[in-house]
């Protein structure tokens, strides 16, 4: 190529401006020059300039009616923004890439772009990351590709746990269970239900955990699963205020087969005093909770 990227940019910019001597804009040649310049800047680690060149190359591909290539360049611009730690632009560029993929009717890459944005933002802007994960899931679900969204749900739950937003984490896990149900992924469904119950217990919210368990038990497949039995045992141990038993169930193989994030919090159970729950359980129905009666 030989030319330095600065000169390529100048040349490309000239081709996209009308003047007395230039009556029409030459997007084809300009875009090729922007692409070369972008790669040159990237190799030289001039991320700010590379970002600008990729943006212009993306615009050029749009003008040439090639949204797929425009989307690719937008993703590259997002990568440069990530190198610069500019989280707002990371989100904006990936969102734009996602829209462009949608224009080509390509839902999987459209969702992937939002997923990449979310991953990039997890530390710098976790609230925004969760929003992006949710949008990425929605694109797949609209397309009937629930199965492809499982990991996005899990990632989302992980970020919510990091933010200590336990209720949000649990409700994302319930959404995962519902998505799993739609595509008949029974095992994933049961794991997600048990995970949600563990999240409530980790937040030391026995009432919510119990309600969640009772709701999940309306689903036969959960009630008759290892995950359902583990949840029942956990709640019984809580109801009896039996710390040793809680620890035993939390260490069981069924729990050890859940996602790493959930295993980590399960190992910390109980997170508060459980003797109070024993009295509550006695008060409610005169006798301790018996898991066999919970239908």
């Amino acid at each position: 190529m030989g030319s330095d990227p600065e000169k390529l940019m100048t040349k490309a910019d000239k081709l996209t401006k009308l003047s007395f001597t230039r009556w029409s804009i030459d997007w084809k040649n300009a875009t090729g020059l922007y692409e070369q310049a972008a790669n040159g800047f990237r190799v030289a680690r001039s991320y700010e300039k590379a970002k600008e060149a990729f943006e212009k190359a993306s615009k050029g591909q749009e003008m040439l009616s090639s949204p797929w290539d425009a989307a690719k360049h937008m993703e590259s611009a997002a990568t440069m923004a990530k190198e610069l730690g500019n989280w707002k632009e990371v989100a904006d560029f990936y969102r734009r890439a996602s829209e462009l993929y949608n224009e080509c009717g390509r839902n999987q890459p459209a969702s992937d772009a939002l997923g990449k944005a979310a991953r990039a933002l997890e530390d710098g802007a976790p609230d925004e990351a969760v929003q992006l994960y949710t949008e990425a899931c929605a694109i797949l679900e609209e397309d009937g590709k629930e199965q492809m969204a499982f990991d996005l749900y899990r990632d989302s739950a992980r970020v919510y746990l990091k933010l200590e937003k336990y209720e949000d984490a649990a409700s994302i896990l319930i959404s995962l269970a519902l998505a799993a149900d739609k595509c008949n992924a029974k095992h994933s469904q049961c794991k997600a239900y048990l995970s949600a119950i563990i999240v409530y217990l980790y937040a030391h919210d026995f009432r919510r955990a119990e309600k969640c368990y009772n709701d999940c038990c309306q689903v036969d497949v959960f009630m008759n699963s290892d995950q359902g039995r583990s949840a029942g045992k956990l709640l019984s141990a809580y109801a009896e205020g039996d710390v040793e038993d809680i620890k035993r169930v939390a260490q069981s193989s069924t729990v050890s087969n859940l996602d790493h994030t959930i295993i980590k919090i399960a190992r910390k159970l109980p997170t508060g005093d459980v003797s109070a729950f024993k009295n509550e359980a006695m008060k409610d129905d005169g006798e301790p909770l018996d898991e066999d009666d919970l239908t």
Side-chain angles (χ1 to χ4, degrees):
M1 182 180 83
S3 253
D4 82 301
E6 299 279 3
K7 282 185 183 144
L8 294 169
M9 286 295 279
T10 309
K11 201 169 159 188
D13 284 340
K14 273 189 186 141
L15 294 176
T16 60
K17 289 192 177 59
L18 297 174
S19 66
F20 286 120
T21 52
R22 182 178 308 286
W23 292 77
S24 67
I25 288 178
D26 181 355
W27 281 112
K28 193 164 172 25
N29 285 313
T31 303
L33 293 168
Y34 283 136
E35 287 167 346
Q36 286 180 3
N39 288 320
F41 284 132
R42 175 164 50 187
V43 170
R45 300 207 165 150
S46 272
Y47 297 127
E48 187 65 56
K49 287 178 175 170
K51 184 188 72 176
E52 189 193 337
F54 278 122
E55 276 187 90
K56 288 182 171 179
S58 178
K59 167 87 171 141
Q61 289 293 3
E62 264 191 89
M63 300 307 284
L64 297 168
S65 306
S66 181
W68 175 267
D69 293 306
K72 286 267 172 247
H73 291 325
M74 257 315 160
E75 288 204 61
S76 298
T79 313
M80 299 300 99
K82 185 184 166 188
E83 290 288 348
L84 295 160
N86 186 334
W87 307 126
K88 189 188 174 324
E89 283 192 333
V90 171
D92 289 346
F93 292 161
Y94 273 124
R95 275 215 167 91
R96 182 72 195 118
S98 181
E99 285 164 14
L100 289 161
Y101 285 128
N102 262 335
E103 276 178 35
C104 333
R106 302 295 293 275
N107 293 13
Q108 186 68 56
S111 172
D112 288 345
L114 296 180
K116 286 178 199 167
R119 265 182 287 284
L121 293 180
E122 272 188 22
D123 293 326
D127 288 307
E128 176 78 356
V130 169
Q131 180 56 39
L132 286 156
Y133 277 133
T134 310
E135 288 172 32
C137 288
I139 290 177
L140 293 174
E141 295 207 328
E142 276 165 34
D143 205 25
K145 291 184 179 152
E146 277 85 7
Q147 193 116 29
M148 310 298 285
F150 288 3
D151 282 338
L152 294 166
Y153 278 120
R154 291 186 191 108
D155 287 334
S156 190
R158 181 169 45 76
V159 181
Y160 273 133
L161 284 172
K162 208 159 66 177
L163 290 169
E164 297 182 6
K165 293 187 169 178
Y166 302 117
E167 206 159 309
D168 289 323
S171 80
I172 280 286
L173 289 163
I174 298 292
S175 298
L176 166 55
L178 296 174
D181 185 38
K182 273 189 196 147
C183 42
N184 221 6
K186 302 297 182 201
H187 192 58
S188 296
Q189 183 183 3
C190 293
K191 281 168 72 169
Y193 279 144
L194 174 57
S195 300
I197 291 164
I198 288 172
V199 168
Y200 280 128
L201 290 174
Y202 182 72
H204 209 58
D205 191 341
F206 180 65
R207 278 276 160 264
R208 291 300 293 267
E210 198 178 28
K211 184 187 179 316
C212 185
Y213 174 70
N214 288 333
D215 290 346
C216 296
C217 280
Q218 306 295 314
V219 182
D220 288 342
V221 68
F222 176 71
M223 213 177 125
N224 302 318
S225 66
D226 291 342
Q227 290 77 17
R229 281 187 285 276
S230 288
K233 283 177 187 161
L234 256 182
L235 287 169
S236 289
Y238 265 86
E240 284 155 24
D242 188 337
V243 173
E244 285 318 302
D245 220 16
I246 293 170
K247 288 187 185 300
R248 196 176 51 75
V249 183
Q251 299 281 346
S252 68
S253 61
T254 305
V255 174
S256 303
N257 278 317
L258 299 173
D259 286 331
H260 172 67
T261 327
I262 303 296
I263 297 170
K264 222 163 69 182
I265 64 171
R267 296 277 149 87
K268 294 179 182 160
L269 296 178
T271 48
D273 178 24
V274 290
S275 57
F277 296 138
K278 184 175 184 177
N279 306 335
E280 267 187 56
M282 298 285 280
K283 233 184 8 236
D284 277 1
D285 42 24
E287 50 188 305
L289 198 71
D290 178 2
E291 60 179 285
D292 300 326
D293 289 347
L294 266 188
T295 46

